[in-house]
């Protein structure tokens, strides 16, 4: 066992950990030692090949197909230098005011989060795509929504030099997305923060204030870790956990905090998602250009879902079509003619939806798809079908439908053809990529894990700084809100740094 | 990385021919990549899941026998489809989930092969913006 000593250890390098690292980096100049521990490797630019299965296995836990306990849903979350910011699409929205109101966490105001979000919009070059760079899939969505009188908004994106590979979810092969791997981590390292990759954190010992971790050897892909492979015990005065909603909760549970924090792992939300497709009689070529230009929050309040544009790869598309055989094959044979819409259900935060651990300490996500979510899906499929047809689609596939496709001449029968009784768990592919909660903020230990500064109740040196802090779902793509919260957590640490590390440690 | 016996592979190839109509020719042993993907993926999953997958293959055979008095391999195409549709759409949730897993694995092996792209008109480009219509 090799031992190491630090003043601040940050676990995870995604939107939360990367932001915390950059914000705390100036403390290095004052004499503090800071390290970021990241489970995944740092990939070389040429290793972003855009090949679906290869990149999914490199970048995601369980290849992006992490199954929930009852196997009704798969979850996608990444491990890499930059965490999940390497594989998202770069959508950068400020959390809605109503959402923060629903969170109802004393000390957290929308104004504060919006101000911090603006800072990261600047830092990450967030902007709207110019009209000529909007691809056909997005134009069709816009056209369909407008024709039906539905609201539609353009996504602000954090891009620099986007070439429109459409491969965002497999890691940008052009390094255009301004995730923490491109912006915050390099800035932090420039100021002296160490980043150690291939480091799996097993446990935090709350009594000794130590971390047990393993450095994994590589398989030739990605850069080597800064530390030699082996077992490590790391002493730290402050620990910031930012390993993502699943792994942060699991790590704290493995560390024995479940008994003193009954809410730990609970109130887990995911924005359960469906990928919907329609076939046009002419090419859409959705694989060219940035995949995500527009979204509609028309039904966010009434039916609790969002619609977004999206583009997926052959296996992911095939898996999300409910069916098989010749009709499935005919749909797949013309990938160039497919229009796609992503449905995100705005799920309730329930204490029963939770991250637990198995006997080995590995995370298990116990999540029930509720009747409310299914009802959101039914309305979303109907509305999407209307949008597809208004955009000119010849046939629409809905995963809960009496037929594999609804033809355009049947468009007046959408409500009959897409019905609740046709929504069968197990048949319909449901995915979740916005993983939130598990270490929710609040005022006390009975129903929350941290205070509004991300400090774990009862442990003054232990912080959480990622999406697991969300008390309820974000109701939009959560990346910028994670950064805003991590920024706030870092400020909280800085405000207490003398007390946390001892005045003697500063400028030693 | 070897997960399946030759008999199990033959059976999965038969199922693949039904699940992906275009995959009917896989039985010629033509596509090693199909098996590399499938076995590579399953080998990264817990042993318990691998076993459950194999049990599910046996369930398909038993169901075929109960429904038609013959094992799946001996059924005609339409009878095989009856069995698969029962697994996908029937009232037993665990069968639906098992069939979803089987389908996902077959789709991964088939559509995860790089060379399938042009065949299904999927031709992404690192410089996709250059291909956008004006």
């Amino acid at each position: 066992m090799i031992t190491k000593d630090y003043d601040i250890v940050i676990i995870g390098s995604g939107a939360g950990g990367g932001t915390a690292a950059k914000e705390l980096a100036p403390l290095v100049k004052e004499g503090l030692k800071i390290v970021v521990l990241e489970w995944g490797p740092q990939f070389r630019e040429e290793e972003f090949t855009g090949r679906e299965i290869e990149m999914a296995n490199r970048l995601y836990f369980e290849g992006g197909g992490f199954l929930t306990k009852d196997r009704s849903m798969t979850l996608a979350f990444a491990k890499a230098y930059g965490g999940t910011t390497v594989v998202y699409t770069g959508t950068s929205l400020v959390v809605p005011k109503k959402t923060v109101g629903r969170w109802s966490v004393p000390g957290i105001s929308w104004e504060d989060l919006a101000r911090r979000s603006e800072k990261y919009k600047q830092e990450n070059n967030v902007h709207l795509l110019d009209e000529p760079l909007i691809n056909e899939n997005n134009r069709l969505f816009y056209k369909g929504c407008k024709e039906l009188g539905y609201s539609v908004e353009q996504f602000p994106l954090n891009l620099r030099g986007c070439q429109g590979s459409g491969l965002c979810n497999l890691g940008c092969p052009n390094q255009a997305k301004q995730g923490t791997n491109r912006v915050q981590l390099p800035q932090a390292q420039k100021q002296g923060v160490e980043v150690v990759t291939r480091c799996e954190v097993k446990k935090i010992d709350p009594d000794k204030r130590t971390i047990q971790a393993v450095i994994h050897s590589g398989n030739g892909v990605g850069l080597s870790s800064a530390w030699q492979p082996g077992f490590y015990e790391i002493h730290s005065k402050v620990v910031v956990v930012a390993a993502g909603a699943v792994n942060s909760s699991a790590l704290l549970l493995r560390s024995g905090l479940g008994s003193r924090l009954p809410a730990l792992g609970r109130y887990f939300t995911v924005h359960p998602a469906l990928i919907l497709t329609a076939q046009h009689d002419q090419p859409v070529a959705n694989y060219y250009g940035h995949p995500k230009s527009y979204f509609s929050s028309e039904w966010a309040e009434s039916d609790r879902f969002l619609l977004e544009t999206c583009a997926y790869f052959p296996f992911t598309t095939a898996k999300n079509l409910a069916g098989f055989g010749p009709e499935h094959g005919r749909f797949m044979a013309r990938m160039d003619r497919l229009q796609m819409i992503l449905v995100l259900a705005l799920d309730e935060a329930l204490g029963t939806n939770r991250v637990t651990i198995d006997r080995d300490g590995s995370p298990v996500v116990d999540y029930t798809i509720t009747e409310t979510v299914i009802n959101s899906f039914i309305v979303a499929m109907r509305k999407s079908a209307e949008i597809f047809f208004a955009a000119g689609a010849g046939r629409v596939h809905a995963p809960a439908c009496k037929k594999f496709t609804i033809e355009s001449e049947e468009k007046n029968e959408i409500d009959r053809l897409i019905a609740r009784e046709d929504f069968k768990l197990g048949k319909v592919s449901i995915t979740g990529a916005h993983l939130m909660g598990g270490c929710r903020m609040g005022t006390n230990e009975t129903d929350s894990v941290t205070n509004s500064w991300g400090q774990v109740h009862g442990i003054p040196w232990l912080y959480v700084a990622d999406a697991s802090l969300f008390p309820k779902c974000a109701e939009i793509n959560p990346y910028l809100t994670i950064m805003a919260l991590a920024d706030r957590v870092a400020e909280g640490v800085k405000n207490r740094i003398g007390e946390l590390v001892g005045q003697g440690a500063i400028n030693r | 990385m070897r997960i399946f016996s030759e008999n199990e592979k033959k059976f999965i190839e038969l199922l693949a021919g039904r699940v992906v109509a275009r995959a009917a020719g896989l039985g010629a042993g033509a596509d090693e990549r199909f098996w590399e993907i499938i076995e590579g993926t399953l080998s990264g999953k817990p042993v318990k899941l691998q076993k459950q997958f194999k049990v599910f293959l046996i369930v398909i055979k038993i169901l075929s026998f109960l429904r038609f008095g013959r094992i799946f391999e001996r059924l005609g195409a339409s009878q095989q489809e009856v069995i698969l549709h029962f697994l996908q759409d029937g009232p037993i949730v665990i069968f639906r989930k098992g069939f979803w897993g089987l389908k996902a694995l077959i789709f991964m092996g088939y559509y995860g092969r790089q060379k399938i792209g042009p065949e299904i008109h999927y031709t992404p480009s690192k410089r996709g913006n250059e291909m956008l219509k004006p």
Side-chain angles (χ1 to χ4, degrees), chain A residues 43-51 55 59 86-88 160-177 181-182 287 289 291 313, chain B residues 124-128:
Chain A
F43 293 102
R44 299 173 183 92
E45 295 197 3
E46 63 273 21
E47 288 170 335
F48 290 93
T49 62
R51 293 185 201 120
M55 290 316 297
L59 291 165
V86 176
V87 297
Y88 71 149
R160 203 181 286 277
C162 174
Q163 303 288 319
S165 75
L167 298 166
C168 311
N169 295 133
L170 301 177
C172 180
N174 301 310
Q175 306 302 318
K177 238 175 348 185
N181 57 323
R182 302 295 296 171
Y287 36 78
F313 322 104
Chain B
S125 162
K126 283 188 181 177
R127 297 185 172 275

Side-chain angles (χ1 to χ4, degrees), chain A residues 446-469:
Chain A
T446 55
D447 65 357
S448 65
V449 173
T450 79
N451 66 18
S452 70
W453 292 95
Q455 185 224 300
V456 173
H457 295 308
I459 309 179
W461 51 270
L462 183 59
Y463 287 81
V464 176
D466 61 21
S468 63
L469 289 172

Side-chain angles (χ1 to χ4, degrees), chain B residues 21-58:
Chain B
R22 297 156 146 256
L26 277 178
D31 214 312
E32 283 176 21
R33 185 67 187 136
F34 176 84
W35 285 110
E36 273 172 26
I37 292 172
I38 287 185
E39 294 199 301
T41 299
L42 263 185
S43 65
K45 301 278 183 193
V47 175
K48 188 178 161 194
L49 194 77
Q50 295 175 20
K51 284 184 181 161
Q52 285 171 341
F53 185 80
K54 290 188 176 206
V55 169
F56 189 68
L57 296 179
I58 297 168

Side-chain angles (χ1 to χ4, degrees), chain B residues 42-83:
Chain B
L42 263 185
S43 65
K45 301 278 183 193
V47 175
K48 188 178 161 194
L49 194 77
Q50 295 175 20
K51 284 184 181 161
Q52 285 171 341
F53 185 80
K54 290 188 176 206
V55 169
F56 189 68
L57 296 179
I58 297 168
V59 167
I60 296 174
K61 295 189 183 201
I62 294 171
L63 270 178
S64 308
F65 195 79
L66 291 176
R67 175 72 177 79
F68 292 110
R70 275 179 293 170
I71 60 166
F72 191 85
E73 294 93 317
R74 299 251 173 103
L75 298 178
S78 60
Q79 289 174 322
Q80 288 177 345
E81 278 181 23
V82 168
I83 297 295

Side-chain angles (χ1 to χ4, degrees), chain A residues 152-370:
Chain A
V152 56
E153 293 168 71
Q154 192 172 352
F155 272 118
L157 302 166
N158 68 350
L159 310 171
R160 203 181 286 277
C162 174
Q163 303 288 319
S165 75
L167 298 166
C168 311
N169 295 133
L170 301 177
C172 180
N174 301 310
Q175 306 302 318
K177 238 175 348 185
Q178 300 301 294
T180 55
N181 57 323
R182 302 295 296 171
V183 183
Q184 286 76 25
L185 291 169
Q187 279 186 39
Q189 285 176 288
K190 211 177 271 181
Q191 294 175 77
V193 171
E194 296 172 48
V195 179
V196 175
T197 57
R198 302 184 189 277
C199 181
E200 179 187 356
V201 174
K202 296 284 190 186
K203 207 173 163 182
I204 300 166
D205 186 328
D207 300 320
K208 293 191 202 157
R209 228 187 267 204
T210 57
I211 293 163
Q212 289 163 23
V214 181
I215 300 289
H216 295 287
S217 52
N219 56 358
V221 181
L223 301 174
S224 300
S225 175
W227 293 355
Q228 290 300 311
F231 292 91
Y232 286 78
E233 184 172 81
I234 304 145
H235 298 260
S236 184
K237 291 168 184 152
V238 181
V239 176
V240 180
V241 178
V246 170
N247 282 312
S248 287
S249 299
L251 172 59
L252 296 187
L253 286 165
R254 282 198 299 274
S255 304
L257 298 179
S259 52
R260 67 165 100 165
L261 297 164
L264 181 56
R266 295 181 185 273
Y267 307 100
F268 183 76
T269 59
V270 300
H271 289 165
L274 297 181
I275 297 168
L276 305 180
T277 44
Q279 197 178 56
H280 285 253
D281 295 329
Q282 65 285 328
V284 175
N286 188 17
Y287 36 78
Y288 297 139
H290 191 278
K292 245 177 172 40
S293 300
Y294 293 117
F295 70 103
S296 176
S297 53
E298 175 85 22
W299 304 274
E301 294 299 321
S302 60
D303 296 284
R304 306 298 288 154
F305 67 85
L306 302 176
L307 298 183
E308 301 187 351
T309 50
C310 62
Y312 290 101
F313 322 104
F315 160 59
T316 309
T317 305
K319 185 181 69 166
N320 281 283
L321 298 174
F324 63 92
E327 56 193 3
H328 184 283
R330 278 192 291 274
F331 226 64
M332 284 301 299
R334 294 308 305 238
M335 282 281 295
D336 60 332
R337 294 185 175 183
L338 297 185
Q339 184 188 349
M340 297 187 189
I341 295 176
L342 180 74
V343 177
L344 296 172
L346 308 179
D347 50 343
E348 275 180 276
L350 304 173
T352 48
N353 285 342
R354 58 191 291 216
V355 178
T356 59
I357 49 172
D358 64 15
R359 270 186 297 183
D360 302 327
S362 299
V364 174
V365 174
D366 193 351
Y367 186 99
T368 303
I369 304 285
T370 62

